[in-house]
Amino acid sequence: MMLLWLQSDLVHGFRHAPLAVVSALVVTLLILAAVFAPWLAPHNPMDVASLSLLDSFKPPFGMPTADPANPLGTDNQGRDVLSAIMYGLRVSLLVGFCSILLAAMTGGAIGLLAGYAGGLVDAVLMRIADIQLTFPAILSALLIDGIIGAMLPRTMRESVQIYVMIFAIGISLWPGFARTIRGSTLIERDKDYVLAARVIGVSAWRIALTHVLPNVLGPVLVVGTLGLGMAILTEATLSFLGVGLPPTHPSLGTLIRFGNDFLFSGQWWVTVFPGLALVLTVLSINLLGDWLRDALNSKLR
Amino acid sequence: MLQVASVTHRYDVSRPWLHRVLAGEPRQHLTAVDNVSFRIEAGETLSLVGESGCGKSTLARLAVGLHAPSEGTIRFQGETLSSVRAQPALRRQLNMIFQDPYSSLNPRWRVRDVIGEPIRVFGLAADRVAQRRRVETLLLQVGLAAEDGEKYPHQFSGGQRQRISIARALASEPAFLVCDEPTSALDVSVQAQILNLMRDLQHRLGLTLLFISHNLAVVRHMSDRIGVMYLGRIVEIGPADEIFHNPRHPYTRLLLEALPDMTRTGRPRNPVGGEIPNPIDPPSGCPFHPRCPLANPRCTREKPALLLHGKTEIACHAVEEGRLPDQLCANRGCGQVACL
């Protein structure tokens, strides 16, 4: 089975797409760097006791007063920028993955229901999706974040902010998944294998979950990968605007916002390197998603 | 075993509500099956033949209860289909084989799960081991190997997939099978194998078949009785021998004449002229009159009823009025008396 997978068209095509290979490599490295940040990072940026103001604003390598211990320099509190990026990436990727998972599950369930049930259920659910699609995802995320923030007591906000972000971004991205799954479900539900199950009296729920669902998951992979880049960017934007993750759990967006204050006083590295990390992450994820979409879409081949 | 009584089935082919309202259109219906009645006795094979779009497949789906008829009733073992479908013990006896072996097997399921599904649904095996053993028996019965159960459908050819389909249909231990063009998607060389397998299984298991096909040669091989359909109606139904040797409805004659014949290659042919009419807007009177060489003014006004003539029932004014020539070919200048 494993051998079959390795010989499949997808893997063959992958090895002949240099851009996809490079993107996959970069994504893997970034994920590894984020996951193993506590062991790989040269410093612990969360440990306030280890910070010294004497170390503040050290320039990155290549500059006259650079310190090899801080290859990407330090910020205004003497925090190592490289370590901060690794920890920030951890938060960004965590929020990205979790919100996409949430979006895929809610969107997938709604799409499957709409596609298989059809009729009025389909019409109502898809109109709701259409209405939400008229707002940019960032706006709906901002709205949801604002509503939940207003409902929670002030003291709780900071500790649960990461879950609020995951929820807000996840909910703002469900229509894409719902539409994709609904489309594939409409195709699958009239195929003869579904009729064969209906003839012997298998229940609609069971058919939807055991017959249709496994056959409509392919496109979700594409929407999910492209959505992951979108989710990370949404989170970074919200954090940059100051409504996202607090400085106690800085994501890449939070780091960029803080560094932004020093851009015009000459300490460009505090904001540029987190910015580059964000661009690299989202770009490689999107390139991978683009390739996946083309590879799974037989019409383009 | 199966009684179909004056069954009509209409599909709603209207455009979406908003379009209809904006354009001021009424709802549109397509009558796929129009007032069809027949019965199938236990152990026999009834075949329904006709061109694409004549309502054969709709009738097949009605017969297993996938659609509920708009009018009329279908009874299986004396009970209405809706009550049959509510009782697993009766529902089990009705199963179906589909046309396209590429879409009728779930590509993500192993063959043993595909064939095992009816066994599981109806609780026909005591445990997993018994189920596995039953699946292996079924695989052997349709001419595949017991180990094939571990494979996925894409690892099989069209003919083998149709064997898997047959095994799945037999897994529920049915008494009555509806076969919706089971060989039309297969290579000619494989068709014969599948048909022989089905006949063999029918004799061994005492199955009753409703066999749907557009291919008269296939039908001849399988049937005890044949029904010829045109535009949702049965135009001639009777014993297979009668239909083949003494066809009387002009449409049946034209269909038979289109069959290739080894002994008379190069003979002039009289293909059925014209297109099958749009079923949303069927012709008045006899639906076949625009294409019929024997049509007269009565045919354009009055729908012919299905009446018994000898052993076959025929819906044709020309037959009823006795103005049917002995052989249609002779009538059209073919020159041979026993052309058919």
Side-chain angles (χ1 to χ4, degrees):
Chain A
M1 200 55 224
M2 196 60 208
L3 215 76
L4 211 75
W5 159 245
L6 284 176
Q7 288 167 346
S8 72
D9 285 355
L10 202 64
V11 174
H12 179 84
F14 180 72
R15 286 198 302 221
H16 291 80
L19 204 60
V21 176
V22 172
S23 321
L25 213 66
V26 172
V27 172
T28 315
L29 282 178
L30 288 171
I31 290 174
L32 287 178
V35 171
F36 296 105
W39 296 276
L40 291 175
H43 306 273
N44 183 357
M46 304 298 191
D47 184 6
V48 186
S50 73
L51 299 179
S52 161
L53 282 178
L54 291 176
D55 296 331
S56 66
F57 291 134
K58 281 192 193 165
F61 67 97
M63 304 270 286
T65 54
D67 182 345
N70 307 104
L72 298 183
T74 57
D75 67 2
N76 60 329
Q77 293 174 39
R79 201 181 270 127
D80 180 43
V81 172
L82 176 64
S83 310
I85 289 175
M86 287 170 80
Y87 277 82
L89 192 61
R90 204 172 148 87
V91 177
S92 287
L93 287 176
L94 183 74
V95 173
F97 273 116
C98 292
S99 51
I100 280 302
L101 211 64
L102 180 69
M105 289 197 308
T106 48
I110 291 172
L112 192 65
L113 180 67
Y116 196 74
L120 194 65
V121 178
D122 181 29
V124 169
L125 289 174
M126 283 304 111
R127 289 305 82 75
I128 295 174
D130 284 345
I131 291 167
Q132 189 171 335
L133 278 173
T134 60
F135 299 104
I138 185 118
L139 202 63
S140 13
L142 202 58
L143 194 73
I144 298 167
D145 176 65
I147 293 169
I148 299 177
M151 290 193 310
L152 292 171
R154 190 170 287 277
T155 45
M156 260 181 76
R157 271 183 216 167
E158 217 163 77
S159 52
V160 298
Q161 183 60 18
I162 190 161
Y163 303 110
V164 176
M165 288 298 287
I166 289 172
F167 183 76
I169 299 172
I171 294 304
S172 72
L173 292 176
W174 73 267
F177 288 93
R179 291 175 73 116
T180 312
I181 293 266
R182 172 183 172 269
S184 327
T185 303
L186 282 178
I187 297 169
E188 294 298 320
R189 73 157 186 199
D190 289 329
K191 287 201 176 162
D192 288 348
Y193 70 85
V194 172
L195 292 184
R198 279 175 54 197
V199 168
I200 57 170
V202 182
S203 71
W205 281 109
R206 215 187 154 93
I207 292 176
L209 293 177
T210 64
H211 282 286
V212 178
L213 187 61
N215 285 297
V216 297
L217 283 179
V220 173
L221 203 62
V222 177
V223 180
T225 318
L226 291 172
L228 180 61
M230 184 72 197
I232 292 174
L233 271 187
T234 307
E235 181 275 321
T237 312
L238 291 178
S239 296
F240 181 79
L241 295 174
V243 291
L245 292 165
T248 45
H249 286 283
S251 72
L252 289 177
T254 321
L255 293 177
I256 295 169
R257 172 161 68 103
F258 281 120
N260 206 31
D261 297 343
F262 314 113
L263 195 59
F264 293 107
S265 54
Q267 290 87 16
W268 53 270
W269 57 88
V270 187
T271 191
V272 165
F273 288 120
L276 281 178
L278 182 67
V279 169
L280 193 67
T281 312
V282 175
L283 183 68
S284 41
I285 288 174
N286 280 350
L287 284 175
L288 202 61
D290 271 344
W291 169 80
L292 204 60
R293 183 187 56 201
D294 295 348
L296 290 178
N297 185 353
S298 47
K299 275 183 202 147
L300 282 178
R301 261 192 253 166
Chain B
M1 178 161 265
L2 189 85
Q3 286 168 282
V4 175
S6 342
V7 162
T8 297
H9 190 71
R10 289 186 204 93
Y11 288 111
D12 187 348
V13 291
S14 317
R15 295 206 296 165
W17 175 78
L18 199 60
H19 290 254
R20 278 205 320 272
V21 171
L22 291 179
E25 285 177 5
R27 280 188 167 273
Q28 280 200 318
H29 293 281
L30 184 155
T31 307
V33 173
D34 187 5
N35 196 16
V36 164
S37 303
F38 60 84
R39 38 191 309 145
I40 306 176
E41 304 302 334
E44 79 167 356
T45 303
L46 172 73
S47 292
L48 292 174
V49 287
E51 285 164 300
S52 315
C54 72
K56 312 180 293 259
S57 289
T58 304
L59 206 47
R61 288 174 187 197
L62 287 168
V64 288
L66 277 176
H67 298 323
S70 312
E71 283 164 34
T73 50
I74 303 176
R75 287 173 180 276
F76 176 70
Q77 313 269 45
E79 295 211 39
T80 60
L81 266 194
S82 52
S83 102
V84 167
R85 301 218 26 100
Q87 304 171 51
L90 267 177
R91 189 174 70 218
R92 182 175 67 73
Q93 298 183 26
L94 256 174
N95 215 335
M96 184 161 177
I97 297 170
F98 293 88
Q99 175 175 7
D100 179 5
Y102 292 91
S103 79
S104 65
L105 306 173
N106 188 336
R108 309 269 164 184
W109 283 28
R110 283 180 200 277
V111 167
R112 67 167 143 81
D113 298 323
V114 171
I115 300 175
E117 191 179 32
I119 303 174
R120 187 175 49 73
V121 168
F122 294 115
L124 296 176
D127 52 28
R128 295 183 74 86
V129 183
Q131 177 175 331
R132 176 164 292 211
R133 212 165 287 143
R134 175 81 181 119
V135 169
E136 285 174 1
T137 317
L138 284 162
L139 279 168
L140 293 172
Q141 211 167 20
V142 296
L144 294 169
E147 310 84 75
D148 285 340
E150 294 305 309
K151 296 185 190 162
Y152 285 90
H154 70 85
Q155 291 170 276
F156 295 91
S157 68
Q160 289 171 318
R161 280 162 166 255
Q162 205 56 297
R163 287 173 191 267
I164 297 168
S165 246
I166 295 171
R168 173 180 57 191
L170 295 178
S172 69
E173 297 169 21
F176 177 62
L177 268 187
V178 175
C179 314
D180 184 9
E181 307 219 28
T183 58
S184 66
L186 304 177
D187 290 342
V188 179
S189 56
V190 182
Q191 287 188 5
Q193 293 174 14
I194 296 295
L195 291 173
N196 286 334
L197 171 72
M198 291 184 62
R199 278 192 71 158
D200 179 45
L201 289 169
Q202 182 188 13
H203 288 309
R204 265 199 287 160
L205 305 173
L207 296 170
T208 307
L209 298 184
L210 172 60
F211 197 90
I212 312 279
S213 182
H214 62 258
N215 186 338
L216 279 166
V218 166
V219 163
R220 180 179 230 162
H221 187 74
M222 295 296 294
S223 329
D224 299 314
R225 289 198 306 139
I226 294 174
V228 180
M229 284 188 77
Y230 186 77
L231 222 63
R233 300 163 63 91
I234 289 184
V235 295
E236 182 163 8
I237 183 167
D241 285 346
E242 275 289 299
I243 300 283
F244 272 98
H245 296 118
N246 184 20
R248 277 176 288 175
H249 195 283
Y251 181 62
T252 314
R253 291 186 166 187
L254 290 165
L255 277 185
L256 285 170
E257 199 185 337
L259 270 184
D261 188 335
M262 286 278 279
T263 58
R264 296 203 316 281
T265 53
R267 77 189 145 120
R269 285 177 188 270
N270 295 313
V272 190
E275 286 287 314
I276 193 161
N278 181 0
I280 294 176
D281 183 22
S284 61
C286 171
F288 188 58
H289 85 258
R291 301 167 79 183
C292 183
L294 304 173
N296 70 5
R298 185 186 173 200
C299 298
T300 62
R301 288 193 314 268
E302 215 181 298
K303 270 189 193 181
L306 199 61
L307 299 172
L308 194 65
H309 298 274
K311 287 185 200 157
T312 49
E313 290 175 84
I314 303 158
C316 179
H317 292 314
V319 176
E320 194 188 325
E321 293 163 7
R323 57 184 170 85
L324 180 81
D326 283 346
Q327 294 294 342
L328 203 59
C329 296
N331 185 42
R332 297 177 112 212
C334 166
Q336 295 187 42
V337 180
C339 187
L340 294 164

